[in-house]
Amino acid sequence: MAKKPIGPVRRAFSPWDDPAAKPFIEFRNVTKRFGDFTAVDNLSLKIYEREFFALLGGSGCGKTTMMRMLAGFETPTEGQILLDGQDLAGVPPYKRPTNMMFQSYALFPHMNVEANIAFGLKQDGMPKAQIAERVAEMLRLTKLVPFAKRKPHQLSGGQRQRVALARSLAKRPKVLLLDEPLGALDRKLREETQFELMTLQEELKMTFLIVTHDQEEAMTVADRIAVMDAGKIIQMAPPAEIYETPNSKFVADFIGDVNLIEAKVAEKSPQGTILQAASGEFCIDTIQETPAAVGDTVWYAMRPEKIRIAHGDTPEANAVNKVGAEVWDIAYLGDISIFHSRVGEKETLRATVANITRLVERPIAWDDKVVLSWERDAGVILTA
Amino acid sequence: MSTGTQDKPRRSAGGWLLIAMPFLWLMVFFLAPFFMVFKISFSEVAVAIPPYLPTFDLSDGLAGIKDAFSTFSFDNYIWLTEDDLYWKSYLSSVKIAAVSTLITLLVGYPVAYGMARSPKAWRPTLLMLIILPFWTSFLIRVYAWIGILKNEGLLNQFLLWTGLIDQPLIILNTNLAVYIGIVYSYLPFLVLPLYASLEKLDISLLEAASDLGCPPWKAFWKITLPLSIPGVIAGSFLVFIPAVGEFVIPDLLGGSNTLMIGKTLWVEFFSNRDWPVSSAVAVILLMILVIPIVLFQNQQQKAAEKQA
């Protein structure tokens, strides 16, 4: 018997690298002010068809305002928003080809699940038979068939979330807007739903725009992430790029865990840059070139999993970048352990180690003298 | 698993007292007077103080009470069916109250809606303005309408001045004046519960409707109105129930042909000094109001249980 395909595979997809590709959604120098407060500050952004795009940032960074302007609930103070080449200015929300899944779900409490899902289709004047067919399809897709006749207050949080999703997908919008869609779910359910969202997006071939403050969520689902702060996009790139080559201290710190080491540029050469840590305890040899001049203060951002930790007598002791340290604290998380090690008086470096064996006794314990080592390409030099 | 009976919270004496208070209140100020009226409605009129017979004579003990009971009769109720004044009054009262409630709803809904949609900072002020008329005596406010509605009143003077009419409209002492009076007096009772239910309405529901392709005016019919029905019902009851038995407004603003049960009751009680018949009128009035409301609430509860 032939093996059943398990579903479409997520293929390499990068229209943003293609200069000929036409953007599907375009923000052109968009500014939004609420009184004195600037929520979105002269921001330009291109999103491509069938992309899963994430706006990531803390509360008040302007990400939700961006989404609400695209949906039509807010009007930009300045600038233009284009969807599929059409300027959206003056188009009311009910005439836009976007649908939104609200953070609060905003399910109609006086209608049952079916009626909630059918609501948008009825507005379009779709024939009854076709509505019933589409509703049945959405119920199947979101595994809500047994709950079709229930009212929202009779559903669990996870089920409500699925109704909200089904309702926003039912009209097959050109763009689906997801406003913190999984915020109210517990961790397990959230992870499951993230993968379901990705599969749905592949199957339905739609453009998804998600707004979230959860970096893990953004990294899991999105093709590209825009990290926002104070109404501006700080960095926009695929998840791996954001994680491995953050362009600023803000992004490095916001996404994942990071060691930010203050340092001075000691030596510049075509082979790379050598930095002297501000604490004076060690040098960092990197392959990266930097615009900063010798003597300038910079930061070296290095992810904890890039640092190896070992006792002084192991081969790692011969690495290019190494520093002696003392284990200060250990956090055991099950899959990994985080070691906080003191380097000299001022500096603490974090290193994570995957627990690949079932450790009964730890090879490295509190107060142990260890050597921390890393490769020349382990981190990035940041000037801002 | 449900947590068995032993987990039921034990109420302290203070807790019981708190629960007993509203019941005691109703017993003393509603149930007891009602039973007095109920009892009088079975008596017959007499030239005496009090003006009916029999009265309970406790000096004779139980036998006296038994005696009194044996003379009770349904004559007063039968009388109500024989004279068409009464059923006409009831019918006319219900009609006037129903029409007034409908008008109050048409006037009050936009008011409540506007308040609920106004900027948050304004809302306490707007609420205050709705409540403000209560600071003046109800009677004085109804009197004031005489000055507005009479032939040479403010309204007619204004309309004559604008040239819209060339002779004064006769409004005072007609049913129209009664409608105006009831709508004016009871408007706050409708606006307040309606405002409460509209204010609770989650704006994101309207955004969701709009997002799904529903223009604002349609979203009002599909979302806002259905979700404000509890407020509409509560407000309408608060207008309809007192309006049926209203006496002051038809007496001051209505004409001689304005037939309302409150006025009929007054005439029976004070002009004819026929306490037994007026008691019977009051008992029937209560039945007319209570029975449909109880039936309605039962049906509402059943509908709610069906959903759950």
Side-chain angles (χ1 to χ4, degrees):
Chain A
M1 209 173 103
K3 254 193 182 170
K4 253 182 152 184
I6 48 169
V9 180
R10 285 175 75 78
R11 283 176 228 289
F13 171 78
S14 55
W16 49 87
D17 290 331
D18 176 8
K22 229 179 94 218
F24 192 57
I25 304 166
E26 192 176 356
F27 285 77
R28 281 189 192 158
N29 304 98
V30 172
T31 297
K32 174 69 187 179
R33 277 185 285 269
F34 296 101
D36 289 340
F37 176 70
T38 306
V40 173
D41 191 1
N42 192 24
L43 193 148
S44 296
L45 171 65
K46 287 175 183 168
I47 298 172
Y48 296 86
E49 195 157 11
R50 299 189 55 188
E51 192 178 351
F52 202 139
F53 192 92
L55 285 169
L56 176 64
S59 59
C61 72
K63 58 188 193 303
T64 302
T65 309
M66 291 281 286
M67 179 172 276
R68 289 176 60 82
M69 284 193 288
L70 187 55
F73 302 133
E74 307 284 355
T75 322
T77 315
E78 285 158 31
Q80 252 187 329
I81 301 172
L82 291 98
L83 179 68
D84 207 4
Q86 185 204 355
D87 189 345
L88 288 179
V91 180
Y94 55 90
K95 286 189 182 155
R96 295 193 183 199
T98 57
N99 280 147
M100 184 156 163
M101 187 185 149
F102 287 77
Q103 185 175 6
S104 61
Y105 305 150
L107 299 178
F108 304 128
H110 55 304
M111 299 181 193
N112 65 19
V113 170
E114 264 179 344
N116 262 287
I117 297 174
F119 187 86
L121 303 170
K122 277 188 193 152
Q123 305 312 314
D124 286 357
M126 194 189 249
K128 266 197 176 154
Q130 230 174 311
I131 290 180
E133 204 176 298
R134 180 72 66 86
V135 169
E137 185 197 334
M138 295 319 298
L139 287 171
R140 260 198 318 279
L141 202 62
T142 48
K143 302 180 188 109
L144 284 167
V145 177
F147 311 107
K149 300 287 179 201
R150 292 216 192 154
K151 293 243 172 114
H153 69 92
Q154 297 163 318
L155 300 174
S156 72
Q159 289 160 351
R160 262 180 244 172
Q161 183 262 343
R162 303 177 108 76
V163 180
L165 184 64
R167 189 180 69 178
S168 55
L169 282 172
K171 287 182 77 173
R172 298 277 153 79
K174 286 184 177 174
V175 183
L176 179 71
L177 307 174
L178 301 148
D179 184 8
E180 305 263 8
L182 314 177
L185 303 185
D186 61 61
R187 195 186 158 90
K188 262 251 157 61
L189 199 53
R190 202 162 60 213
E191 278 173 8
E192 256 176 58
T193 317
Q194 284 165 3
F195 281 98
E196 274 167 28
L197 274 180
M198 287 154 71
T199 314
L200 270 176
Q201 195 242 356
E202 286 276 329
E203 276 175 17
L204 300 172
K205 301 181 176 32
M206 294 193 309
T207 309
F208 279 29
L209 174 62
I210 187 171
V211 155
T212 180
H213 66 274
D214 180 345
Q215 46 117 351
E216 249 177 68
E217 185 167 300
M219 295 195 42
T220 309
V221 299
D223 293 312
R224 266 195 314 163
I225 298 174
V227 182
M228 288 187 70
D229 184 39
K232 286 187 178 294
I233 290 178
I234 310 295
Q235 188 171 12
M236 179 160 58
E241 206 176 305
I242 293 252
Y243 185 77
E244 298 295 355
T245 56
N247 65 357
S248 60
K249 272 163 68 186
F250 176 81
V251 175
D253 203 28
F254 192 79
I255 309 280
D257 205 1
V258 74
N259 291 297
L260 274 174
I261 304 163
E262 197 180 339
K264 275 196 164 53
V265 178
E267 207 183 307
K268 288 177 68 167
S269 74
Q271 282 76 46
T273 312
I274 295 177
L275 308 173
Q276 170 74 47
S279 62
E281 299 292 334
F282 55 97
C283 284
I284 305 162
D285 188 354
T286 76
I287 58 163
Q288 198 187 344
E289 291 183 66
T290 173
V294 172
D296 282 0
T297 298
V298 294
W299 287 270
Y300 192 64
M302 184 162 50
R303 301 292 178 190
E305 72 277 7
K306 305 286 192 291
I307 301 182
R308 281 168 308 216
I309 182 165
H311 286 295
D313 49 5
T314 44
E316 276 85 357
N318 299 320
V320 183
N321 287 306
K322 64 180 180 214
V323 60
E326 192 179 322
V327 176
W328 176 261
D329 219 342
I330 303 171
Y332 175 74
L333 302 185
D335 51 347
I336 57 166
S337 293
I338 305 172
F339 292 85
H340 289 241
S341 310
R342 292 291 288 261
V343 179
E345 288 296 305
K346 292 180 216 154
E347 197 107 51
T348 303
L349 290 182
R350 265 166 303 172
T352 55
V353 174
N355 295 325
I356 50 173
T357 53
R358 293 180 59 223
L359 296 179
V360 181
E361 268 179 60
R362 298 164 201 276
I364 297 170
W366 280 268
D367 296 334
D368 275 8
K369 299 271 189 268
V370 291
V371 171
L372 304 176
S373 60
W374 58 91
E375 299 297 329
R376 290 181 68 210
D377 62 353
V380 285
I381 302 171
L382 302 174
T383 51
Chain B
M1 286 297 290
S2 73
T3 47
T5 41
Q6 74 270 26
D7 283 358
K8 256 188 188 166
R10 272 171 195 279
R11 283 198 177 82
S12 62
W16 283 113
L17 189 70
L18 204 67
I19 295 168
M21 293 277 264
F23 284 101
L24 275 173
W25 177 275
L26 280 176
M27 290 272 276
V28 174
F29 294 104
F30 174 74
L31 222 51
F34 173 74
F35 274 114
M36 286 183 206
V37 170
F38 193 59
K39 191 214 119 200
I40 295 170
S41 72
F42 293 107
S43 311
E44 58 184 296
V45 67
V47 185
I49 293 174
Y52 56 85
L53 277 172
T55 48
F56 286 136
D57 193 351
L58 293 177
S59 56
D60 288 351
L62 224 59
I65 294 174
K66 235 184 197 165
D67 241 24
F69 267 103
S70 62
T71 59
F72 278 177
S73 76
F74 282 97
D75 288 353
N76 296 317
Y77 291 96
I78 294 160
W79 169 245
L80 290 189
T81 61
E82 281 168 350
D83 192 334
D84 66 357
L85 168 76
Y86 300 104
W87 69 260
K88 276 183 179 164
S89 300
Y90 283 124
L91 205 67
S92 163
S93 291
V94 169
K95 194 194 113 206
I96 288 175
V99 172
S100 312
T101 305
L102 199 69
I103 300 170
T104 314
L105 197 57
L106 291 178
V107 176
Y109 202 106
V111 174
Y113 186 84
M115 281 169 63
R117 291 283 165 281
S118 66
K120 263 213 166 75
W122 295 13
R123 290 183 200 169
T125 315
L126 293 174
L127 262 179
M128 200 66 217
L129 289 175
I130 292 289
I131 300 167
L132 205 62
F134 289 123
W135 290 10
T136 314
S137 154
F138 169 71
L139 209 58
I140 288 173
R141 284 182 286 131
V142 177
Y143 262 120
W145 275 101
I146 297 175
I148 297 171
L149 297 177
K150 66 184 177 189
N151 285 4
E152 59 279 15
L154 291 173
L155 181 67
N156 274 320
Q157 279 179 24
F158 174 75
L159 290 176
L160 285 168
W161 174 76
T162 58
L164 279 171
I165 53 171
D166 46 20
Q167 49 187 338
L169 298 172
I170 297 158
I171 302 174
L172 193 65
N173 302 330
T174 67
N175 278 357
L176 181 61
V178 176
Y179 289 135
I180 292 173
I182 293 178
V183 170
Y184 162 76
S185 303
Y186 291 103
L187 191 65
F189 295 106
L190 185 121
V191 169
L192 293 179
L194 197 52
Y195 165 75
S197 78
L198 282 170
E199 203 227 1
K200 273 193 309 199
L201 188 87
D202 183 1
I203 295 292
S204 70
L205 293 181
L206 298 177
E207 284 185 348
S210 177
D211 187 63
L212 291 165
C214 188
W217 59 269
K218 216 171 152 194
F220 175 81
W221 289 107
K222 295 254 177 187
I223 311 293
T224 310
L225 192 63
L227 289 176
S228 66
I229 288 298
V232 169
I233 290 171
S236 299
F237 273 158
L238 285 179
V239 175
F240 180 77
I241 293 169
V244 172
E246 183 53 59
F247 163 72
V248 173
I249 295 170
D251 193 51
L252 292 180
L253 303 180
S256 50
N257 55 357
T258 303
L259 205 53
M260 281 192 85
I261 199 68
K263 255 173 93 175
T264 310
L265 198 69
W266 172 276
V267 171
E268 280 311 335
F269 199 87
F270 290 97
S271 310
N272 298 351
R273 267 180 74 79
D274 193 340
W275 287 23
V277 164
S278 50
S279 296
V281 169
V283 169
I284 294 297
L285 177 61
L286 193 77
M287 298 296 171
I288 288 174
L289 291 177
V290 167
I291 291 170
I293 291 169
V294 169
L295 286 178
F296 174 78
Q297 282 194 329
N298 261 357
Q299 182 251 325
Q300 286 282 93
Q301 199 149 1
K302 268 186 198 147
E305 275 165 13
K306 223 176 176 182
Q307 274 181 23

